[in-house]
Amino acid sequence: MVNRLEIHSIWSGLVQAWKAIWQHADDPQRWAAFAPHCDRLMAIARQQGLTRIETELTPLLELLQTLASPGEEDKAVVDRYLPGVFAAVREVCDERYESGGARGDANNMPVVVMLVRQASAWQELAQQMEQYGYRLQIFSNYRLGMQAAITARAIAVVVELGTEDDPGAMALIDELNRYGPKWFALAREASFALRLTAVRHASQGFFLTPLSAPTLADAVDPLTFKAKEEPYRVLILDDSPTVLASIRKTLNQFPSIHTQALREPEQILNVMGEFSPDVLLLDFHMNGCNGLEVAKIIRQNKTFESVPIVYLTAETSEHVQIEAMRHGGDDFLTKPISQAQLVNTVISKAERYRGLRKLMVEDSLTGLYNHVKAKTLLQQAILMAERQKSTVSYAMLDIDHFKRVNDTYGHAVGDKVIRALARFLKQQVRRADVVGRYGGEEFVIVFFDCTPADAIGKLNEMREAFSLVQHTYEGGSFAVTFSAGIANFPAYTSMGELIVAADEALYAAKRAGRNQVMQAG
């Protein structure tokens, strides 16, 4: 639940502190009083998963951290940042934010700016980008376009380059880089020298014309929807309070690492079940047992068979270390442990574990949850709804005449259509909802705390909007539609009944002519 009252209170204090700076921009004390309001707003945004506020605040906080002798120039920069922060705060404080209210109009969409030599040639792309949730602003005057990108806090800027090095364009790009927006190069043809020049000026990518909406949207999506990573969870089992305190002191310096300490080996399975560590730091020699024995117990539990185990030991025997690795260990840290080695080992093991775990729950083509994970999340939603006496709506979607797409345009184009629908669905639903790929051209959506009527209305909005999206192939473009079936809990009381009911409703929609949504029952 978003705490709108607290957010509004913090924002009001921030505005008042900014008014004081406006009167005396060269007063460091006023800037010092302004910064804590920004920090508090960032803290609550991270705590409550308010990604847009976090994104808008980031450049402002980076500026405040580097201020030495503030003045009018810094005030002008902050003045360009604050409207974006205010828009994000206003969106979150809107009552419709959590109830799945309608998306904003084009003026509230993330902005992408194009600097091209002939603006009229790109108007169709601008219309297509609106279907992907972006407002594309096109300028043939590069200087005006750059200023517009800075003012509008553009997510990205696409700059058309000539076939030769253009010192004027590169100077403009260098200026753009100082203000923060990421940029992509665009050209009719690209020599290695031109690509090298773009890279040296910090380009995020290189497009060749013609540029399609799916290609551009795929490139800017990671900048718009930045994934919020939870801190790495590190469990430390060591019977020495001194060692525990030392390791926690080292690791707790890093906000990206969260630790929990344990001294009793007999508690290991219970604590691992509750804490779900990304890495286990395990003392090799303890009273009553050794780390090798504890590792064997852990590896016998399927839930924890892939959690990295790093031994903490003074043992230097190669034979012992080989035996320990053979029975489930991943690495050794020899006491006394170097702080740098400790941190690097923990982060590298945690990153790899997170990456492997992500592959286990994500569909490789679309990045959505796979069938198994989507079913797990549906079951969790039903249990939560049962406790809270609320509703879960479950939808199954299928692309109409998808075999015809593959037969006519080829499987590579068919995969592009599947990816396009995947990102479209993910962008359209609320953060609390779940989108998964059921298999082939079928998708599922779990709408938390959402009545069937509201879910049907949302699905119809998405269905109509997606039917306008153009999918490109070598000879031109085409559009596709999808059909959907929906069922809800508690009308259907078990996960199995819910899935079967939604599936039957989907096929009823197909039999009724496709490109429609039907409700079970």
Side-chain angles (χ1 to χ4, degrees):
M1 177 72 69
V2 174
N3 191 333
R4 297 186 181 89
L5 186 61
E6 183 177 5
I7 293 171
H8 188 271
S9 174
I10 295 172
W11 175 254
S12 298
L14 187 153
V15 171
Q16 292 302 316
W18 181 242
K19 287 180 179 178
I21 291 176
W22 252 91
Q23 299 169 3
H24 298 283
D26 57 349
D27 185 348
Q29 292 185 349
R30 300 193 182 208
W31 285 89
F34 172 67
H37 295 283
C38 300
D39 290 335
R40 285 181 62 204
L41 187 58
M42 177 62 89
I44 195 171
R46 286 174 173 165
Q47 178 186 355
Q48 299 187 19
L50 306 175
T51 308
R52 187 180 173 195
I53 291 181
E54 188 175 345
T55 301
E56 295 289 350
L57 263 178
T58 297
L60 174 55
L61 288 176
E62 289 175 352
L63 172 67
L64 294 176
Q65 290 168 3
T66 58
L67 279 181
S69 301
E72 291 294 330
E73 185 176 343
D74 299 304
K75 184 181 80 172
V77 174
V78 175
D79 250 353
R80 288 194 294 269
Y81 291 155
L82 286 179
V85 181
F86 172 64
V89 169
R90 183 177 56 188
E91 175 187 282
V92 169
C93 290
D94 190 323
E95 291 290 338
R96 297 173 297 173
Y97 180 75
E98 288 180 316
S99 59
R103 291 169 59 86
D105 59 23
N107 290 327
N108 291 323
M109 292 178 180
V111 173
V112 176
V113 169
M114 284 192 77
L115 311 183
V116 293
R117 286 167 170 73
Q118 188 176 356
S120 59
W122 297 94
Q123 295 307 314
E124 185 176 345
L125 178 63
Q127 295 172 4
Q128 285 288 308
M129 286 299 289
E130 286 195 12
Q131 304 303 326
Y132 284 85
Y134 292 97
R135 180 159 57 97
L136 186 63
Q137 297 182 342
I138 306 171
F139 296 86
S140 54
N141 184 313
Y142 283 28
R143 171 64 63 179
L144 288 178
M146 187 195 76
Q147 292 172 351
I150 295 169
T151 302
R153 302 280 290 114
I155 295 297
V157 180
V158 179
V159 182
E160 184 180 9
L161 304 176
T163 54
E164 302 295 334
D165 188 11
D166 185 344
M170 291 301 125
L172 196 68
I173 288 166
D174 288 339
E175 187 175 347
L176 186 69
N177 285 335
R178 288 195 292 272
Y179 285 99
K182 305 297 183 183
W183 79 281
F184 295 81
L186 172 70
R188 297 185 182 281
E189 54 185 75
S191 62
F192 178 79
L194 191 59
R195 289 181 180 273
L196 183 61
T197 298
V199 167
R200 286 175 173 172
H201 290 267
S203 70
Q204 300 297 301
F206 204 111
F207 302 127
L208 290 174
T209 58
L211 174 60
S212 68
T215 299
L216 179 55
D218 283 344
V220 300
D221 271 354
L223 304 177
T224 309
F225 308 105
K226 295 180 180 177
K228 188 180 188 304
E229 284 289 339
E230 294 294 324
Y232 296 128
R233 294 182 295 275
V234 181
L235 178 61
I236 314 155
L237 172 55
D238 198 304
D239 58 5
S240 167
T242 304
V243 172
L244 286 176
S246 174
I247 291 175
R248 295 193 78 183
K249 181 179 179 182
T250 298
L251 296 180
N252 287 345
Q253 298 176 61
F254 298 88
S256 61
I257 299 175
H258 177 50
T259 64
Q260 182 163 329
L262 179 64
R263 293 181 59 191
E264 301 82 17
E266 59 269 21
Q267 298 295 321
I268 186 65
L269 292 180
N270 290 335
V271 174
M272 288 188 71
E274 295 171 0
F275 187 60
S276 298
D278 297 302
V279 178
L280 171 63
L281 299 180
L282 178 59
D283 187 17
F284 195 80
H285 295 289
M286 294 175 283
N287 291 327
C289 66
N290 61 45
L292 178 58
E293 294 167 329
V294 175
K296 289 180 179 179
I297 291 173
I298 292 170
R299 292 305 189 217
Q300 288 174 358
N301 190 310
K302 291 292 184 182
T303 306
F304 311 127
E305 65 181 352
S306 60
V307 176
I309 296 176
V310 178
Y311 291 108
L312 309 175
T313 181
E315 182 66 62
T316 57
S317 166
E318 182 177 351
H319 170 73
V320 172
Q321 291 193 3
I322 291 173
E323 183 69 11
M325 299 290 276
R326 193 170 69 85
H327 290 282
D330 292 272
D331 208 343
F332 272 86
L333 291 176
T334 305
K335 299 175 182 178
I337 302 168
S338 155
Q339 290 191 6
Q341 185 183 15
L342 173 64
V343 173
N344 288 336
T345 299
V346 164
I347 291 178
S348 64
K349 299 296 182 188
E351 282 179 345
R352 184 172 180 272
Y353 178 61
R354 286 267 180 103
L356 290 173
R357 204 167 55 177
K358 186 177 181 182
L359 290 174
M360 292 170 63
V361 301
E362 283 190 0
D363 170 62
S364 59
L365 178 63
T366 64
L368 299 178
Y369 290 120
N370 61 25
H371 183 189
V372 175
K373 182 62 175 180
K375 286 180 67 174
T376 300
L377 294 173
L378 172 61
Q379 183 63 55
Q380 292 174 1
I382 292 172
L383 293 174
M384 185 181 298
E386 195 171 21
R387 291 194 302 269
Q388 298 178 354
K389 308 298 181 186
S390 60
T391 304
V392 172
S393 292
Y394 178 74
M396 298 190 70
L397 293 72
D398 184 272
I399 299 174
D400 296 326
H401 300 297
F402 186 71
K403 183 177 184 301
R404 188 184 302 170
V405 172
N406 279 335
D407 291 345
T408 305
Y409 307 108
H411 288 274
V413 174
D415 286 348
K416 286 174 61 178
V417 172
I418 288 174
R419 285 196 298 267
L421 180 55
R423 65 168 305 285
F424 180 85
L425 295 175
K426 192 172 183 178
Q427 187 182 36
Q428 295 291 321
V429 302
R430 301 167 301 175
R431 286 175 59 87
D433 298 329
V434 171
V435 182
R437 186 181 179 201
Y438 197 80
E441 67 273 23
E442 287 190 327
F443 297 81
V444 297
I445 304 177
V446 181
F447 293 99
F448 290 85
D449 193 19
C450 182
T451 67
D454 288 340
I456 289 171
K458 183 63 177 175
L459 281 168
N460 275 318
E461 286 180 14
M462 292 191 288
R463 180 182 56 78
E464 292 170 5
F466 188 71
S467 70
L468 302 175
V469 174
Q470 292 294 309
H471 309 277
T472 58
Y473 67 104
E474 190 172 334
S477 64
F478 63 96
V480 297
T481 59
F482 68 77
S483 302
I486 190 165
N488 80 288
F489 171 89
Y492 297 89
T493 56
S494 72
M495 180 179 71
E497 291 176 351
L498 200 60
I499 292 174
V500 169
D503 192 42
E504 290 177 349
L506 168 60
Y507 279 94
K510 292 281 191 181
R511 290 192 298 270
R514 296 182 170 84
N515 191 21
Q516 57 187 286
V517 179
M518 294 198 73
Q519 183 178 355

